[in-house]
Amino acid sequence: MIDLDLDMRQYDCPFIDTTDDVDVAFSAVQWQLDTDAEKLETRLIAKGESAPALEQGLHELRTHPNMRDCYILTKRDNVAQIGTTIEQTNAMRAIQENDGYITGPFRIEDGRERWHVGFDDDDAEDRTLAELERHNDYEVEDRDQFGPTTLFDLLENSDSALRLLEGCRSLTETEQETFEVASKNGYYETPRETTLDELADHFDISKTAVSMNLRRSERKILKAALGAIEGMDGHDEL
């Protein structure tokens, strides 16, 4: 299996046009492509920069010529869960007709869309990308190729991967930034390439504060990693 991470701009997508004009982002929760009816049904989370921005974004979405149906499921402040039905876009048609398939949720923000698309072979990938290039603007951000053994392993251990991801997301912005800067500057190398004093100078805080931020981030990451290891398929056999 070939898995592509595409940064895409479609020129006939209601969501992309809306995020071009309004400070709102959309993340897919569920989607179903009906190729016979040439439509895409989705459940999405819509998040506006503010409550008025969300209202404006939903209005723009409803009035878009390629939108068949748009309704609110729940809404609170600047976040809403919505259901939509849109016309099949050129990119959807190109992927489907060239034996490609969507492998993960998509996110739309600032007039761009992040897609995860899969193919069974190189020929299907090449045909699809050539077709997409004619009517869309895209960049391949990442490309992975999995054999059946690797793919099976990924599917079997998806819960462990989710635990690790949740652990990373539990870091505060300060903890994440401190941990990243320390790692990139060689704090965890042997011998160390930077010191707590140098990190304190970088962030303009005390040495004690840097140390506390690092310890908190390390605890969260370690806890998530241990939970992921314990949940891995075959761990008990080791």
Side-chain angles (χ1 to χ4, degrees):
M1 173 186 169
I2 300 165
D3 189 69
L4 296 184
D5 187 356
L6 299 178
D7 179 48
M8 173 88 70
R9 180 175 179 82
Q10 302 182 72
Y11 294 107
D12 55 354
C13 175
F15 304 112
I16 288 179
D17 287 345
T18 298
T19 62
D20 241 350
D21 300 329
V22 186
D23 287 330
V24 64
F26 300 99
S27 296
V29 177
Q30 176 271 334
W31 62 95
Q32 180 174 339
L33 178 62
D34 186 336
T35 54
D36 292 332
E38 296 187 341
K39 65 180 182 178
L40 175 71
E41 297 180 1
T42 56
R43 300 289 184 276
L44 304 102
I45 300 299
K47 183 176 181 181
E49 185 70 21
S50 62
L54 175 65
E55 290 296 334
Q56 183 183 355
L58 295 178
H59 173 74
E60 295 283 340
L61 206 58
R62 291 191 189 99
T63 57
H64 193 281
N66 283 1
M67 179 63 65
R68 291 192 187 181
D69 191 19
C70 177
Y71 52 92
I72 296 173
L73 297 168
T74 60
K75 184 174 68 171
R76 182 176 181 181
D77 299 328
N78 64 326
V79 180
Q81 183 180 6
I82 63 175
T84 67
T85 302
I86 70 171
E87 300 283 347
Q88 185 181 40
T89 65
N90 173 270
M92 294 178 206
R93 185 178 297 106
I95 290 170
Q96 188 272 331
E97 290 180 351
N98 289 286
D99 302 319
Y101 41 87
I102 304 300
T103 60
F106 51 88
R107 176 176 172 79
I108 309 105
E109 188 174 16
D110 297 328
R112 307 289 299 187
E113 184 173 13
R114 183 57 60 94
W115 272 27
H116 304 278
V117 184
F119 305 95
D120 292 327
D121 55 61
D122 293 334
D123 288 341
E125 176 190 7
D126 292 341
R127 291 196 309 271
T128 302
L129 293 182
E131 181 68 23
L132 288 177
E133 196 168 14
R134 295 190 184 99
H135 303 286
N136 304 273
D137 176 33
Y138 73 88
E139 291 183 12
V140 178
E141 296 290 330
D142 196 15
R143 184 184 190 275
D144 293 308
Q145 189 158 4
F146 306 108
T149 301
T150 302
L151 187 58
F152 184 82
D153 191 33
L154 287 171
L155 294 173
E156 285 293 290
N157 293 295
S158 59
D159 287 343
S160 290
L162 183 59
R163 290 179 190 175
L164 188 57
L165 181 61
E166 289 173 345
C168 294
R169 286 177 172 165
S170 71
L171 269 65
T172 66
E173 185 176 343
T174 298
E175 291 165 355
Q176 180 178 334
E177 184 180 5
T178 305
F179 189 58
E180 288 179 350
V181 170
S183 300
K184 290 177 181 177
N185 285 277
Y187 181 75
Y188 295 103
E189 299 296 325
T190 304
R192 283 180 172 167
E193 298 173 2
T194 192
T195 66
L196 284 176
D197 288 322
E198 291 170 333
L199 292 172
D201 289 340
H202 176 87
F203 291 105
D204 195 23
I205 58 176
S206 70
K207 178 178 174 180
T208 300
V210 170
S211 179
M212 289 178 61
N213 289 333
L214 282 178
R215 286 202 299 270
R216 283 195 292 262
S217 61
E218 290 163 357
R219 280 198 300 269
K220 290 179 180 179
I221 295 295
L222 181 59
K223 181 179 179 181
L226 289 174
I229 290 172
E230 290 173 358
M232 285 175 59
D233 181 61
H235 172 72
D236 294 338
E237 300 174 5
L238 298 179

